[in-house]
Structures are given as C-alpha cells and as structure tokens.
C-alpha cells in the first residue's frame, strides 16, 4: 500500500481491549482536528509459534476471523458511518513490531495503556511501553477511565 507523503495518518492499535477502544475514539477525534485519516491496525499471532501445541492452525481462516471481528468492533465502538471512514489493517506478527512498522511516516501512533493481557495494576502494557520508546513518530498512550 502506497502512503501519500502529504497524508496525515493517525495509526491506532486495536486489540479488543477497553483501552484500545478508548485509543480508537481518541485517534478519530484527533484525526478530525488535523484533517487526517485513521488507520486501525489489529495484530494476530499464531499460538503454535510460541510453544503452544494444539491442532493445526489455518492462517487464512485466522486472519479472516480477525478481520471480521475487527470490523464488528469498529462498528460497535464508533458507529457504522465513522467506522466506514477508518482504514483497517490486519497483520500477522508481534504487536509492538507491527505497530512500529505501521507508524513509519505517520503523524502519530495511538495505543491504549494496557492490552488484553495487562495486569490490573500495571500503568503501561508491554506493547505501549515498547512503542513509546522506539517509534519514529510521536506516541499517544490513552489510559482508560475504567482502569
């Protein structure tokens, strides 16, 4: 996908957590203020790559399921009209690495403070901490009011 250099991309990581939904809403508001576009990125990983021994995994089915789930989540969080204006990307890999690559040349990278695997008292999740230290653009970490 070619990225227009004049385009103000607001990249946001979405993982199904409340914190990522708050980050998504923040990204949409910010993009509206700066005349940018929102690119929501969902990352999926294969459990078998990390020592999990289960049934064979069909990569195409897993990606399709992730894409469908993401589309439904965007509609639930933003409403159909706004969700339709958000670009979506579903990428296989390590979440921090995928988000760092997606954010190259972006106006800003937006992430929630904790993902689905976060400890209840943690201020930052491992992904938000990693991208805040290594991103090539400004990073906004949105803390959910429910934390």
């Amino acid at each position: 996908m070619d990225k227009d250099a004049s385009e103000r991309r607001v990249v946001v990581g979405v993982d199904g957590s409340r914190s990522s939904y708050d980050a998504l809403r923040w990204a949409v508001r910010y993009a509206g203020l700066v005349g940018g576009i929102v690119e929501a990125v969902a990352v999926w990983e294969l459990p078998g790559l990390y020592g999990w021994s289960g049934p064979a995994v069909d990569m195409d089915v897993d990606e399709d399921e992730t894409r469908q789930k993401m589309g439904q989540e965007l509609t639930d969080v933003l409403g159909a009209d706004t969700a339709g204006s958000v670009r979506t990307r579903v990428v296989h890999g390590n979440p921090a690495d995928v988000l760092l690559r997606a954010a190259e040349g972006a106006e800003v990278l937006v992430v929630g403070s904790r993902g689905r695997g976060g400890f209840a008292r943690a201020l930052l999740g491992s992904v938000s901490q990693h991208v805040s230290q290594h991103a090539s653009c400004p990073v906004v970490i949105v803390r959910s009011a429910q934390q």
Side-chain angles (χ1 to χ4, degrees):
M1 169 169 58
D2 290 337
K3 295 174 184 156
D4 182 348
S6 65
E7 190 173 65
R8 299 182 87 167
R9 290 184 313 119
V10 178
V11 176
V12 58
V14 180
D15 69 359
S17 67
R18 179 185 308 273
S19 185
S20 78
Y21 295 158
D22 289 340
L24 176 62
R25 285 189 280 274
W26 192 96
V28 167
R29 284 192 304 272
Y30 180 79
L33 293 173
V34 300
I37 59 99
V38 175
E39 184 175 300
V41 179
V43 182
W44 63 279
E45 299 176 275
L46 290 177
L49 294 178
Y50 304 101
W52 181 77
S53 58
V57 177
D58 184 333
M59 289 183 69
D60 291 334
V61 170
D62 285 352
E63 183 177 355
D64 288 343
E65 287 176 7
T66 302
R67 189 176 310 283
Q68 289 172 5
K69 183 177 179 187
M70 182 184 193
Q72 185 59 52
E73 289 175 344
L74 291 179
T75 300
D76 292 348
V77 172
L78 301 173
D81 290 342
T82 302
S85 69
V86 173
R87 290 185 191 166
T88 60
R89 291 180 57 197
V90 175
V91 182
H92 171 257
N94 172 280
D97 293 340
V98 168
L99 290 173
L100 289 171
R101 281 193 308 274
E104 291 175 5
E107 174 90 7
V108 65
L109 171 61
V110 185
V111 293
S113 60
R114 283 200 335 254
R116 290 178 297 169
F119 292 101
R121 295 185 174 253
L123 293 177
L124 288 179
S126 59
V127 172
S128 58
Q129 185 171 15
H130 186 83
V131 299
S132 71
Q133 295 170 351
H134 299 284
S136 60
C137 65
V139 176
V140 173
I141 301 171
V142 178
R143 184 173 166 90
S144 175
Q146 298 294 317
Q147 293 179 357

